[in-house]
């Protein structure tokens, strides 16, 4: 029975040994037909092995019998069955994710936020270092992509670009896309002050770019250059732009409240 609003089926086996202070675990799991709001997760399975305060694991995502993502992780953790001063231990960690020429149509299968998705992406990314000082490596490429966003009533196409991971920085080399006759480009970087504290420094340039078309409410096409800086939660948007075309239906806004 779905009592948490998260339908799906979980199959798992776990074996434990050792002591409360220094346990050991091995196991496997599979997660199918999972849904979180509009998100529909692909079939996922994996294995775990924990001993000597280190968690090793593998996770695989599948679609139509094809593996679309493989993630391996080696994490220094203290999973003792008792109170400890710190769960995340000051030792080296490693996380590696690999996807090769994956059809972006998988997004349409896992979420209703985007539709009519086209294109491919490849990724070979990793995280090393420690919890306090993570070190990134690898990159991700996306090519000839397109997607419709029903909530905005727009379609973005000719989406191309990539990101490079190096040290504590995710560098957005250049991501470009078009919307009707307009164009937008994104570049900049995202720096990890800690593994869980990313800081943005992104530049967004638009030219006659149709950002949204909410019929009966607002249609907006704009040109300009803006910067998004600061922590992901609480970032600051600054810059200048010109609305080259727009319609705001005041009467409909008042009547539909």
């Amino acid at each position: 029975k779905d009592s948490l609003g998260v339908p799906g089926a979980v199959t798992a086996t776990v074996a434990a040994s050792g002591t409360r202070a220094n346990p050991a675990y091995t196991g496997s799991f599979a997660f199918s037909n999972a849904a979180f709001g509009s998100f529909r997760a692909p079939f996922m399975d994996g294995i775990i092995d924990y001993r000597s305060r280190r968690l090793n694991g593998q996770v695989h995502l599948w679609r139509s019998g094809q593996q679309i993502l493989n993630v391996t992780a080696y994490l220094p953790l203290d999973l003792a069955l008792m109170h400890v001063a710190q769960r995340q231990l000051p030792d080296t960690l490693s996380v590696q994710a690999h996807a090769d020429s994956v059809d972006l149509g998988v997004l349409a299968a896992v979420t209703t936020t985007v539709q009519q998705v086209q294109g491919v992406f490849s990724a070979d990314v990793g995280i090393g270092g420690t919890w306090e000082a993570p070190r990134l490596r690898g990159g991700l490429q996306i090519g000839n992509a397109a997607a419709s966003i029903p909530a905005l009533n727009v379609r973005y196409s000719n989406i191309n670009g990539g990101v490079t991971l190096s040290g504590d920085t995710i560098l957005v080399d250049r991501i470009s896309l078009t919307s009707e006759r307009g164009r937008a480009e994104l570049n900049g970087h995202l720096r990890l002050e800690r593994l869980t504290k990313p800081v943005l420094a992104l530049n967004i340039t638009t030219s006659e770019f149709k950002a949204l078309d909410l019929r009966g409410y607002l249609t907006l096409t704009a040109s300009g250059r803006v910067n998004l800086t600061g922590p992901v939660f609480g970032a600051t948007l600054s810059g200048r732009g010109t609305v080259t075309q727009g319609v705001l239906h005041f009467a409909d806004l008042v009547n539909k409240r």
Side-chain angles (χ1 to χ4, degrees):
K1 180 180 179 180
D2 170 26
S3 59
L4 299 176
V6 184
V10 179
T11 302
T13 59
V14 178
S17 60
T19 65
R20 292 181 60 204
N22 189 22
Y25 310 105
T26 59
S28 61
F29 64 89
F31 201 2
S32 60
N33 300 319
F36 311 90
S38 64
F39 179 76
R40 301 290 183 270
F43 179 81
M44 176 174 62
D45 65 9
I47 58 174
I48 61 168
D49 183 87
Y50 174 79
R51 62 190 68 247
S52 301
R53 295 183 175 84
R54 181 168 288 271
L55 176 66
N56 303 326
Q58 293 187 25
V59 177
H60 317 105
L61 269 63
W62 304 79
R63 185 196 180 207
S64 302
Q66 178 186 7
Q67 188 178 115
I68 58 175
L69 180 66
N70 177 50
V71 180
T72 58
Y74 307 93
L75 307 175
L77 292 168
D78 189 341
L79 301 181
L81 298 174
M82 55 191 298
H83 175 75
V84 295
Q86 185 176 4
R87 295 290 183 182
Q88 298 176 342
L89 301 178
D91 199 352
T92 57
L93 60 84
S94 175
V95 178
Q96 190 75 28
H98 180 76
D100 185 16
S101 300
V102 175
D103 184 350
L104 283 170
V106 67
L107 292 178
V110 301
T111 180
T112 58
T113 304
V114 294
Q115 298 178 356
Q116 297 175 292
V117 184
Q118 301 173 346
V120 297
F121 83 94
S122 296
D124 190 3
V125 299
I127 303 175
T130 66
W131 295 106
E132 293 292 331
R135 308 300 295 174
L136 308 177
R137 58 182 181 271
L140 182 150
Q141 294 291 324
I142 183 172
N144 301 316
S148 297
I149 304 179
L152 302 179
N153 194 34
V154 292
R155 180 168 179 80
Y156 300 141
S157 57
N158 299 316
I159 306 172
N160 294 279
V163 299
T164 301
L165 284 66
S166 178
D168 65 352
T169 301
I170 301 174
L171 177 66
V172 181
D173 301 318
R174 187 182 70 117
I175 296 177
S176 61
L177 63 156
T178 60
S179 178
E180 292 192 353
R181 71 176 186 274
R183 179 180 177 85
E185 289 190 2
L186 170 70
N187 59 46
H189 67 269
L190 184 154
R191 184 169 57 85
L192 298 183
E193 291 187 349
R194 289 187 60 202
L195 194 58
T196 56
K197 190 178 179 182
V199 178
L200 299 171
L202 299 175
N203 307 309
I204 306 170
T205 304
T206 63
S207 176
E208 298 289 336
F209 187 73
K210 189 171 186 178
L212 51 86
D213 184 6
L214 305 179
R215 293 172 184 170
Y217 288 96
L218 176 65
T219 300
L220 181 64
T221 300
S223 297
R225 181 183 177 89
V226 297
N227 304 311
L228 188 63
T229 58
V232 171
F233 299 104
T236 300
L237 184 67
S238 61
R240 302 185 63 179
T242 302
V243 177
T244 57
Q245 182 179 348
V247 177
L248 178 61
H249 301 266
F250 285 103
D252 288 338
L253 285 173
V254 173
N255 292 336
K256 293 178 181 179
R257 287 185 61 181

